[in-house]
Structure formats: structure tokens, C-alpha cells
């Protein structure tokens, strides 16, 4: 045991001796020296000291050799190594501890970095500078200020605490409430508390992350929030590339746009700033706010349309790049079509006239500019004689100007078009004040001419008066007016577009749907489903190749099923299916309730009527070129058959097989029943299939031809609404589904990140 103790002492002795090694401060030169024996101090002028490789200079100093200590005054300069220089007005230097205390106008320069402070403590061995009364670090990429700070010369790291503020060369501002670390070599800034990052367009908040002040790349790992105008993005992990305007988010993603009342959730996503586009995958779903309301616990709350899909894409697109749909209308001949051509032509004519008025106003201003910019014209001899004779000032013709009232009327007409309203307001601000400027130019010419003429008239008479008039008119400054350019508003107007790809599910209190893909935009207030779409509302199911739902004033206006339209309705638990079939099915709503429905192209229907006891008694089958259904208070009251009508009514007890139209489909098990089904998806086996009679027969036609070309049949049995109110106006751009969607994030990296979480 004793031997082990001795061995331990021998091992640690060299380190103890090394730690206790002291080097004496060496006075290299001095202009003048005065030694005081009483205090054992030397008073020096312009001394130069050296200590452990560092050179120290000042205007004057007091050296205490016994204590290995000196005090320096005026133009203090410490040079350590090839790159580190420290300047101050005062210095206290302890050679034993190898520490310097600098005071007043302190400046530390290390390579391209400059640290300034009133007081700085610097460790000559560790090469660490510290300030606690406020300081600033400046380099070509950033300026950092804080109350407390530490600078490590060896690693080029700087730590800042309390009231930290960073301003980068790109005018990005970073503020932190707690600790921030900045490396002057790599330009990476690390945050260890609540931090805000702002620039011209973007705002970022995090409580743990890193940001590069040069490349503008960033990573955020705790309570992250990115905002850009009305848009915001959250996620457990955010990666952002500032100069590219591209970001990635992992786990618990939430994208919001308060302007469009749109919220988008998911587990993996990408953000493209310049395109204003977000792509979200992995449990992706979106909520779209509406003006509808539902009653929950005797309280009305806003009704939201929830949409889920394998991939969701949200973007603000230029209206000019969208193919907008016109909502169907009933023409005068009772046919279904788009807006009446004559009425549309009149509206287009009004818009063209309004634009023409604005353009004419701009041309008038442009012409006036040309006249004002032309070389000064001399008056003819005849004109001068006339002026001398009459003593009048020359009349300056006013520019051709359209009446302001006409311009206002034109503006009012243009405001009726939702796509040009915004641009029209800008045009009015340019056109009308510009017209006023032209008037002011003319008035200024006349007033100046009159004032000058009166002054001259008192001294030189009428001849001088005429000359003054001419000179005043020629000396008027050229009006500074810009040409008015009339542009198409659709070139700058943007609208929200949401695209959903694969396994699309929609839930709203009064409507549910399923499809392979969906498009939504607010530009034409239309919601569109593609590829095997199915819509449900109460006991009604709709299918077709494409289904469009049109909105007007935030309320459902009409719907249209294109190609192979099929509507099935069932009451309660009944297995009696009322059916409607046709190439195109169009429905019209009034105050959210279905009023009229038109079935065009090989229209067929099967519906069950009831007797006074409420029991099914007859089956009505109809075939026609066109069928019209009329509803009052959600009840089907009449069916109107038009052209080439065939029909039959059979007692229910005489039927041996259930009557079904060709193409009949009934899929209640696929119907979303809640918001949870939108997020998780609806399992195929989650709900029991509807029981369809095994003895059902497919009906392709009817018997018993009628001779009337138009027949109205009263119906006792109500058929439930085909579609109820869906949501606020929505629009979709019809487009083919891309063969492949852009990859959100490298799958290997994402999987590793998720596992780390």
C-alpha cells in the first residue's frame, strides 16, 4: 500500500510543478523609467512588455515586479499570435494568473471579427474573452449584441446571453431571450431558448435549433413556427433553406392560411415559398372553414369541411392559369346549359366599354404629356397682334378628358366582375387623380400667365403684357405624369387551390364523399371529384364519372354529375331503393335545399310509392330523353317526363324480383362517418354491407308506352335530398393526375428522424 502511495505521488508531482510554473513579465523597452523603492514600483513611459509570447504596449504603465503585475494607461494594445489584437484605454494585467482586465473603449480583433465592449476580461492561456456590461461582435456576415458574452478565440465560438440580437448582412434579424451560440468560422447560430428570426418575408420561431447567417439554412427542433403573411407552418422538426425558399417538416405538421380559412395537417411535408405551395403526405388531411353552422349541445358552431388523402397539395395559383367552370343554368327553352350567350355577351360588352374608358383616359394623359414635353412654340405675328389688340392671355386648350361620371359608371360595372375588382380599384387611383393632374397643369399655366401679365401691364402696357403672357406659358415646368397602363386583372389575381390524390375522403355534417382525386379552388367556387367518385347525403348516394358541386355566396347553388350519373335513395332501414340514372344529372338548390333536378340523356328512374298507411304499394318505372324532378321542403312532389316517354306502374305484390337499374351500386361501408374516418381512413370491412335481395332483377326498360310527350305525375313518397349544402364556395382546376408526385423528403432521412423522435 505504501508503495502505491509513493508511485501516485511521483506521477502527479510533474503536473503540480507545471501548474505552479510562473513566468515573469519582461520589460522589453521604455522611453523613460522611474523606480519608487517605497512601493517597489517602476513608472514607465511608452513601455513594451512581453509575456508568454504576447506583446503588450501602452502610453504609460506602473510595473510591480514583485507581484508580477502592471497597470497600463492610454492606447493599450495586446498582441497574441498572428491574428489576435486587443485595444483599450486601461489595462490591469496579472502575470501570475495570466489574465487581463481591460476597461474603456475595449476592442478585440480576431481575424475578420471585431468584439467591442466597455469592460472585458481576457484569459491569455485559454484565449477566452468575457463581458458582462454589454458588448457587440461584428463581422462581414452578422452583427451581434447582448448584455453578456463569451468569446473563444481557439474555436471561434461566441456565446451570448440576455437581450441577444443578431442582424445579418441580408437584413435578417434574430432575437433570443436566453443563450445563443455563434461560430464566426462556419456562421452557424445555435439557439437554446425562445428565439425569433425575421426578414422581409419570413418569420420563424423556435426554442431549440440552428441558423446559418450566410447560407440562410436552418433547423428547428422544438415548438417551431414558420409564418409568411397569412400562412404559417408548424412541425416537430423544421428544415428551411432561406435562399431557395424551400422547407421540410417532419411529424405533427400543421399548415394554416387565415386568409382562406384553410388548415392542413400531416406527418411529412414540403413548403415552396415562391410557388406558395405545400405538399403533405402520411395521414394528410385538411379543414376548410365555412359559413355554415351546426348545433352541438344547443350551441351553434361553424361547420368545417374535412378532407383526407394519401397526398394533399395546397397552393395559391394565378387565376389566368386555372381552367374555370361556369355553373350550369336553366335556359329559356328549359334546357340545361351555361350562362345565356346573349346575357353573357352583354356583360362582356359592358366590361369592354369600361376598360375602353379607362384606356382612353390613359391615352389622353399620355397625349397631354407629349404636348407638354414638345419644344416651346413661338406665337405667330397674327397671334401677337391679336393679343396686343385684345390684351388677352393665350388660351391653352385643355386635354381631351373623359367625364369623371362616365369613368365612375364604368368602374361600377367592372366591380361586378369578381376577377377584376382588385385591379379596378388600382386603376381608379391612377386614372382619376391623373386626370386631375392634367387639369392642374392647365390651371397653373393660366394662373401664372395672368399673374405675370398683371405685373407687366402697369409698367409697359399691353405689348409687354402680351410678351409676359407668352413667356409665362413657355416657362411652365413639364408635368411629371406617368403613362397609365391598363392590364388584365387576372394576370395578378391569385386563388387558393387544393389538390388531393388517391384515397380521397370528405366529411361534412350534411355531406360525405369518396374519390380517387379531388380539386378545389376559390376562383370559380366549384368542388370537383374525379375517378369513381361517390357522394352521400342523408339516405342518398350519387355516383358518376365526374361530380361537380357549385357554390354561390358561400352556399351550395347546384351540382352536376357528368357521364354515367346514378342516384340511389333509401329511407331508413328499408331495402327499397329509389333510383335515377342518366348521362348528366343537374340539381339546383334554394337556400341550401334541393328544388329542381334534371336528368338528361337516356333518363331512367325507379321509385316506390306508398299508400295512406305509409306502406309501399307500387313501383313506378320511367324511361325518357329527359326527366325533371321537383322538390318542396325536401320532398319530391312531381316527376315531369319530356320526349320519348315510356312508363309503367306495377303493384309491389306482383313483383317477383327487386327492380334495379343497370349499373346499380350501393356502398354504405365506404362512407366516412366522422372526422376520425378522414384522418385514419375507412376500412373496407369496417361496416356491414347493405342487404340487397338475392332475387333482384336488373331492369333496363319499362313497359306500357304512353302517348303524351309531357306528363306530370303526383308522388306521395318523398325522396331524400340528393345533395345538401356542402360548404363555402370552392373551385377546382380539372387536370389529369400526375403519374408521380414529388417526393416530400428522402425516405431514409425521414425514417431515421421519426425514429429519433
Amino acid at each position: 500500500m505504501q508503495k502505491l502511495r509513493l508511485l501516485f505521488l511521483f506521477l502527479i508531482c510533474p503536473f503540480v510543478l507545471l501548474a505552479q510554473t510562473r513566468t515573469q513579465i519582461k520589460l522589453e523597452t521604455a522611453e523613460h523609467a522611474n523606480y519608487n523603492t517605497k512601493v517597489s514600483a517602476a513608472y514607465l513611459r511608452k513601455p513594451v512588455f512581453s509575456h508568454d509570447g504576447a506583446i503588450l504596449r501602452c502610453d504609460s504603465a506602473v510595473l510591480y515586479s514583485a507581484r508580477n503585475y502592471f497597470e497600463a494607461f492610454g492606447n493599450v494594445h495586446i498582441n497574441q499570435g498572428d491574428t489576435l489584437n486587443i485595444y483599450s484605454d486601461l489595462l490591469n494585467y496579472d502575470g501570475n494568473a495570466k489574465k487581463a482586465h481591460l476597461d474603456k473603449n475595449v476592442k478585440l480583433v480576431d481575424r475578420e471579427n471585431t468584439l467591442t465592449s466597455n469592460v472585458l476580461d481576457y484569459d491569455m492561456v485559454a484565449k477566452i474573452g468575457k463581458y458582462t456590461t454589454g458588448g457587440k461582435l461584428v463581422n462581414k456576415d452578422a452583427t451581434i449584441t447582448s448584455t453578456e458574452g463569451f468569446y473563444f478565440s481557439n474555436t471561434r465560438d461566441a456565446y451570448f446571453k440576455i437581450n441577444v440580437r443578431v442582424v445579418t448582412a441580408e437584413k435578417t434579424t434574430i432575437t433570443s431571450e436566453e443563450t445563443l451560440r455563434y461560430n464566426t468560422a462556419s456562421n452557424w447560430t445555435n439557439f437554446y431558448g425562445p428565439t425569433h428570426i425575421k426578414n422581409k418575408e419570413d418569420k420563424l420561431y423556435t426554442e431549440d435549433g440552428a441558423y446559418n447567417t450566410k447560407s440562410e439554412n436552418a433547423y428547428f427542433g422544438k415548438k417551431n413556427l414558420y409564418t409568411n403573411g397569412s400562412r404559417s407552418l408548424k412541425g416537430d422538426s423544421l428544415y428551411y433553406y432561406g435562399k431557395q425558399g424551400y422547407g421540410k417538416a417532419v411529424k405533427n405538421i400543421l399548415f394554416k392560411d387565415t386568409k382562406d380559412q384553410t388548415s392542413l395537417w400531416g406527418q411529412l411535408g414540403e413548403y415552396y415559398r415562391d410557388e406558395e405551395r405545400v405538399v403533405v403526405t402520411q395521414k394528410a388531411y385538411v379543414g376548410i372553414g365555412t359559413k355554415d353552422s351546426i348545433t352541438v349541445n344547443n350551441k351553434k358552431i361553424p361547420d368545417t369541411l374535412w378532407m383526407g388523402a394519401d397526398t394533399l397539395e395546397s397552393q395559391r395559383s394565378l387565376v389566368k392559369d386555372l381552367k374555370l367552370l361556369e355553373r350550369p343554368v336553366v335556359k329559356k327553352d328549359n334546357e340545361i346549359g351555361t350562362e345565356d350567350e346573349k346575357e353573357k355577351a352583354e356583360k362582356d360588352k359592358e366590361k369592354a366599354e369600361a376598360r375602353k374608358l379607362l384606356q382612353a383616359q390613359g391615352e389622353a394623359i399620355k397625349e397631354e404629356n407629349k404636348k407638354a414635353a414638345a419644344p416651346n412654340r413661338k406665337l405667330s405675328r397674327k397671334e401677337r397682334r391679336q393679343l396686343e389688340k385684345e390684351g388677352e392671355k393665350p388660351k391653352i386648350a385643355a386635354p381631351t378628358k373623359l367625364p369623371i361620371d362616365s369613368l365612375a359608371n364604368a368602374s361600377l360595372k367592372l366591380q361586378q366582375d369578381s376577377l377584376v375588382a382588385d385591379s379596378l380599384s388600382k386603376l381608379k387611383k391612377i386614372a382619376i387623380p391623373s386626370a386631375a393632374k392634367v387639369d392642374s397643369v392647365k390651371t397653373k399655366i393660366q394662373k401664372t400667365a395672368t399673374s405675370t401679365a398683371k405685373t407687366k401691364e402697369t409698367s409697359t402696357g399691353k405689348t409687354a403684357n402680351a410678351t409676359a403672357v407668352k413667356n409665362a406659358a413657355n416657362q411652365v415646368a413639364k408635368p411629371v405624369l406617368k403613362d397609365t397602363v391598363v392590364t388584365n386583372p387576372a394576370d395578378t389575381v391569385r386563388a387558393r387551390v387544393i389538390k388531393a390524390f388517391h384515397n380521397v375522403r370528405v366529411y361534412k355534417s350534411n355531406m360525405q364523399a369518396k374519390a380517387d382525386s379531388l380539386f378545389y379552388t376559390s376562383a370559380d367556387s366549384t368542388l370537383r371529384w374525379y375517378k369513381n367518385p361517390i357522394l352521400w347525403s342523408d339516405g342518398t348516394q350519387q355516383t358518376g364519372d365526374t361530380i361537380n358541386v357549385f357554390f354561390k355566396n358561400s352556399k351550395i347553388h347546384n351540382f352536376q354529375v357528368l357521364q354515367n350519373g346514378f342516384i340511389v335513395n333509401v329511407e331508413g332501414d328499408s331495402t327499397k331503393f329509389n333510383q335515377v340514372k342518366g348521362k348528366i344529372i343537374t340539381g339546383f338548390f334554394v337556400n341550401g335545399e334541393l328544388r329542381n333536378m334534371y336528368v338528361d340523356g337516356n333518363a331512367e328512374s325507379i321509385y316506390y310509392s306508398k299508400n295512406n298507411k305509409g306502406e309501399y304499394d307500387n313501383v313506378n318505372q320511367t324511361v325518357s330523353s329527359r326527366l325533371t324532378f321537383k322538390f318542396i321542403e325536401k320532398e319530391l312532389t312531381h316527376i315531369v317526363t319530356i320526349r320519348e316517354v315510356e312508363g309503367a306502374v306495377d303493384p309491389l305484390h306482383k313483383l317477383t324480383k327487386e327492380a334495379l337499374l343497370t349499373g346499380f351500386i350501393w356502398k354504405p361501408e365506404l362512407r366516412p362517418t366522422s372526422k376520425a374516418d378522414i384522418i385514419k381512413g375507412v376500412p373496407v370491412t369496417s361496416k356491414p354491407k347493405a342487404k340487397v335481395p338475392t332475387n333482384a332483377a336488373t331492369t333496363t326498360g319499362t313497359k306500357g308506352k304512353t302517348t303524351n310527350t309531357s306528363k306530370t305525375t303526383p308522388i306521395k313518397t318523398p325522396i331524400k335530398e340528393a345533395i345538401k349544402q356542402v360548404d363555402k364556395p370552392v373551385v377546382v382546376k380539372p387536370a389529369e393526375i400526375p403519374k408521380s408526385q414529388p417526393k416530400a423528403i428522402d425516405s431514409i432521412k425521414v425514417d431515421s428522424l421519426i425514429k429519433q423522435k
Side-chain angles (χ1 to χ4, degrees):
M1 180 62 70
Q2 186 68 23
K3 292 181 179 180
L4 289 176
R5 289 178 180 175
L6 291 174
L7 178 62
F8 178 73
L9 290 174
F10 282 122
L11 288 174
I12 66 171
C13 277
F15 296 100
V16 172
L17 293 174
L18 181 62
Q20 294 176 347
T21 299
R22 298 286 186 266
T23 56
Q24 194 69 25
I25 298 173
K26 184 179 180 181
L27 175 63
E28 298 290 344
T29 62
E31 290 184 359
H32 179 75
N34 206 5
Y35 189 77
N36 189 331
T37 58
K38 292 183 179 181
V39 294
S40 300
Y43 296 88
L44 308 170
R45 181 189 302 168
K46 297 289 183 179
V48 177
F49 301 97
S50 64
H51 188 243
D52 284 350
I55 304 299
L56 303 94
R57 293 181 173 87
C58 60
D59 290 344
S60 62
V62 179
L63 174 62
Y64 302 90
S65 299
R67 295 167 51 191
N68 201 22
Y69 176 90
F70 74 85
E71 297 174 351
F73 308 93
N75 295 316
V76 177
H77 177 204
I78 301 176
N79 173 253
Q80 187 181 37
D82 297 331
T83 60
L84 183 66
N85 292 278
I86 308 176
Y87 306 88
S88 70
D89 291 342
L90 302 174
L91 167 66
N92 294 330
Y93 186 77
D94 187 344
N96 295 330
K98 299 181 181 179
K99 292 183 179 180
H101 177 80
L102 301 104
D103 198 357
K104 294 184 180 180
N105 301 317
V106 182
K107 181 171 69 172
L108 183 153
V109 180
D110 184 14
R111 301 175 181 88
E112 69 276 8
N113 305 295
T114 301
L115 175 66
T116 57
S117 177
N118 286 327
V119 178
L120 180 70
D121 291 309
Y122 186 75
D123 189 320
M124 301 291 287
V125 177
K127 295 184 179 180
I128 299 175
K130 174 186 176 182
Y131 64 84
T132 58
T133 59
K136 178 169 68 174
L137 176 67
V138 179
N139 61 26
K140 62 180 181 179
D141 297 310
T143 299
I144 308 173
T145 58
S146 67
T147 302
E148 296 181 9
F150 298 83
Y151 181 78
F152 295 77
S153 179
N154 287 332
T155 61
R156 302 179 68 178
D157 279 328
Y159 288 82
F160 304 91
K161 294 178 64 177
I162 307 174
N163 300 324
V164 184
R165 179 182 176 86
V166 183
V167 179
T168 71
E170 301 296 332
K171 304 303 180 183
T172 297
T173 302
I174 305 172
T175 57
S176 178
E177 299 176 8
E178 296 185 12
T179 303
L180 179 148
R181 184 183 74 177
Y182 179 72
N183 187 278
T184 59
S186 64
N187 300 111
W188 275 103
T189 305
N190 295 82
F191 321 115
Y192 304 99
T195 304
H196 297 268
I197 303 175
K198 298 180 182 179
N199 59 24
K200 294 180 180 179
E201 298 178 350
D202 307 320
K203 294 181 181 179
L204 289 157
Y205 173 83
T206 186
E207 294 186 5
D208 181 25
Y211 177 82
N212 192 291
T213 58
K214 188 173 183 179
S215 66
E216 298 184 23
N217 297 337
Y219 162 75
F220 307 100
K222 181 181 179 182
K223 295 184 179 180
N224 313 301
L225 175 63
Y226 166 83
T227 58
N228 183 302
S230 62
R231 299 172 294 279
S232 64
L233 177 65
K234 289 182 179 180
D236 287 359
S237 297
L238 292 182
Y239 303 83
Y240 188 66
Y241 305 87
K243 291 185 177 180
Q244 292 82 6
Y246 170 74
K248 298 184 289 188
V250 181
K251 291 198 73 174
N252 300 318
I253 301 166
L254 172 57
F255 170 79
K256 277 188 177 183
D257 192 334
T258 56
K259 184 177 181 180
D260 297 325
Q261 294 184 330
T262 303
S263 298
L264 182 60
W265 289 265
Q267 298 300 314
L268 193 62
E270 292 179 292
Y271 174 74
Y272 302 84
R273 182 186 61 201
D274 295 339
E275 301 175 23
E276 300 184 43
R277 181 163 64 99
V278 177
V279 180
V280 179
T281 57
Q282 295 190 10
K283 295 184 179 180
Y285 67 100
V286 61
I288 303 175
T290 72
K291 293 183 179 179
D292 298 336
S293 61
I294 57 176
T295 302
V296 177
N297 297 327
N298 297 324
K299 182 180 179 181
K300 286 189 175 182
I301 61 174
D303 192 9
T304 303
L305 185 145
W306 299 100
M307 181 195 311
D310 292 348
T311 300
L312 283 175
E313 180 178 325
S314 178
Q315 182 177 10
R316 290 187 62 82
S317 301
L318 290 171
V319 172
K320 68 175 183 178
D321 296 334
L322 300 175
K323 184 178 179 181
L324 306 181
L325 293 182
E326 294 186 16
R327 59 174 63 91
V329 297
V330 181
K331 296 184 177 181
K332 294 181 180 179
D333 57 0
N334 206 33
E335 294 292 335
I336 298 295
T338 56
E339 189 176 10
D340 185 76
E341 295 298 332
K342 184 177 180 180
E343 183 180 354
K344 185 178 179 181
E346 291 178 355
K347 289 184 178 180
D348 291 341
K349 185 178 179 181
E350 291 177 355
K351 295 174 187 176
E353 289 177 354
R355 289 193 179 94
K356 187 176 180 181
L357 286 173
L358 291 176
Q359 190 171 3
Q361 183 66 48
E363 292 296 332
I365 296 170
K366 188 175 181 180
E367 185 65 25
E368 180 60 27
N369 286 341
K370 289 181 179 179
K371 290 181 180 180
N376 297 331
R377 183 178 63 87
K378 293 184 178 180
L379 297 175
S380 64
R381 182 179 298 178
K382 185 177 180 180
E383 290 173 335
R384 288 199 301 270
R385 288 178 180 176
Q386 184 68 22
L387 288 173
E388 292 173 0
K389 182 178 179 180
E390 299 180 359
E392 295 179 351
K393 59 179 177 289
K395 296 182 180 179
I396 300 175
T400 304
K401 181 165 66 70
L402 297 172
I404 298 299
D405 292 341
S406 299
L407 191 61
N409 292 335
S411 301
L412 182 59
K413 292 178 181 178
L414 273 180
Q415 283 178 337
Q416 296 174 356
D417 187 352
S418 60
L419 298 181
V420 300
D422 293 339
S423 294
L424 176 61
S425 62
K426 297 178 181 178
L427 289 174
K428 289 196 298 183
K429 291 179 180 178
I430 296 173
I432 296 179
S434 298
K437 288 182 180 179
V438 174
D439 292 341
S440 66
V441 170
K442 182 185 74 174
T443 304
K444 183 177 180 181
I445 294 173
Q446 293 175 345
K447 287 184 176 180
T448 305
T450 303
S451 176
T452 307
K454 288 183 178 180
T455 303
K456 295 291 183 179
E457 185 177 6
T458 58
S459 58
T460 59
K462 294 183 179 180
T463 303
N465 182 17
T467 304
V469 169
K470 181 181 70 174
N471 293 336
N474 291 336
Q475 291 174 1
V476 174
K478 297 177 183 180
V480 183
L481 298 176
K482 294 182 179 180
D483 295 341
T484 302
V485 180
V486 180
T487 59
N488 185 357
D491 292 343
T492 58
V493 175
R494 293 181 178 270
R496 171 65 58 190
V497 173
I498 293 180
K499 303 176 184 179
F501 301 96
H502 311 305
N503 194 25
V504 180
R505 308 168 302 280
V506 174
Y507 176 81
K508 194 173 178 291
S509 61
N510 55 5
M511 186 206 70
Q512 300 81 42
K514 182 186 182 299
D516 179 75
S517 58
L518 178 145
F519 293 81
Y520 156 88
T521 178
S522 58
D524 62 1
S525 299
T526 306
L527 188 65
R528 313 175 191 183
W529 285 271
Y530 296 98
K531 197 173 181 180
N532 304 320
I534 307 176
L535 266 68
W536 295 272
S537 178
D538 290 336
T540 301
Q541 173 189 282
Q542 299 182 57
T543 57
D545 292 354
T546 300
I547 300 178
N548 299 329
V549 179
F550 300 83
F551 294 84
K552 187 176 182 181
N553 298 327
S554 300
K555 293 183 178 181
I556 187 170
H557 183 262
N558 56 349
F559 74 88
Q560 195 164 58
V561 183
L562 305 177
Q563 298 301 322
N564 301 314
F566 206 118
I567 296 180
V568 180
N569 170 267
V570 62
E571 295 185 17
D573 297 331
S574 172
T575 58
K576 306 301 180 183
F577 298 98
N578 298 310
Q579 304 157 54
V580 178
K581 178 184 178 183
K583 289 184 177 179
I584 299 177
I585 301 176
T586 308
F588 295 88
F589 292 78
V590 176
N591 295 327
E593 294 185 2
L594 183 64
R595 290 295 176 87
N596 297 286
M597 187 168 68
Y598 298 83
V599 183
D600 293 281
N602 300 325
E604 301 179 45
S605 70
I606 293 177
Y607 59 89
Y608 292 84
S609 60
K610 293 182 179 180
N611 55 26
N612 295 333
K613 297 180 180 180
E615 299 173 346
Y616 291 107
D617 56 359
N618 294 320
V619 178
N620 301 271
Q621 302 183 46
T622 306
V623 174
S624 175
S625 296
R626 190 179 199 207
L627 292 175
T628 301
F629 297 83
K630 296 184 180 296
F631 298 83
I632 296 178
E633 295 182 356
K634 300 182 181 180
E635 293 186 1
L636 177 63
T637 58
H638 294 81
I639 295 180
V640 180
T641 56
I642 303 174
R643 293 192 302 272
E644 303 175 6
V645 179
E646 295 183 5
V649 179
D650 297 315
L652 186 60
H653 66 274
K654 291 185 178 181
L655 289 181
T656 57
K657 297 180 180 180
E658 190 73 19
L660 299 176
L661 296 175
T662 302
F664 173 86
I665 182 174
W666 181 246
K667 294 288 185 179
E669 70 276 10
L670 301 179
R671 183 176 187 173
T673 59
S674 65
K675 175 184 173 182
D677 288 342
I678 299 302
I679 301 173
K680 300 177 182 179
V682 182
V684 177
T685 58
S686 61
K687 297 182 181 359
K689 295 184 178 180
K691 294 182 179 180
V692 180
T694 56
N695 61 345
T698 300
T699 304
T700 58
T702 56
K703 56 185 177 179
K705 295 184 179 181
T706 59
T707 56
N708 296 334
T709 59
S710 179
K711 182 177 179 181
T712 301
T713 308
I715 303 298
K716 295 181 181 179
T717 305
I719 295 181
K720 303 248 181 166
E721 263 187 297
I723 301 178
K724 285 192 174 181
Q725 185 174 355
V726 176
D727 189 10
K728 64 182 280 188
V730 280
V731 169
V732 194
K733 174 184 176 181
E736 295 295 332
I737 301 175
K739 294 182 180 179
S740 63
Q741 289 298 308
K743 293 183 179 179
I745 306 178
D746 185 275
S747 58
I748 298 177
K749 294 181 180 179
V750 171
D751 291 341
S752 63
L753 288 172
I754 293 175
K755 289 179 181 178
Q756 290 176 8
K757 289 291 179 179

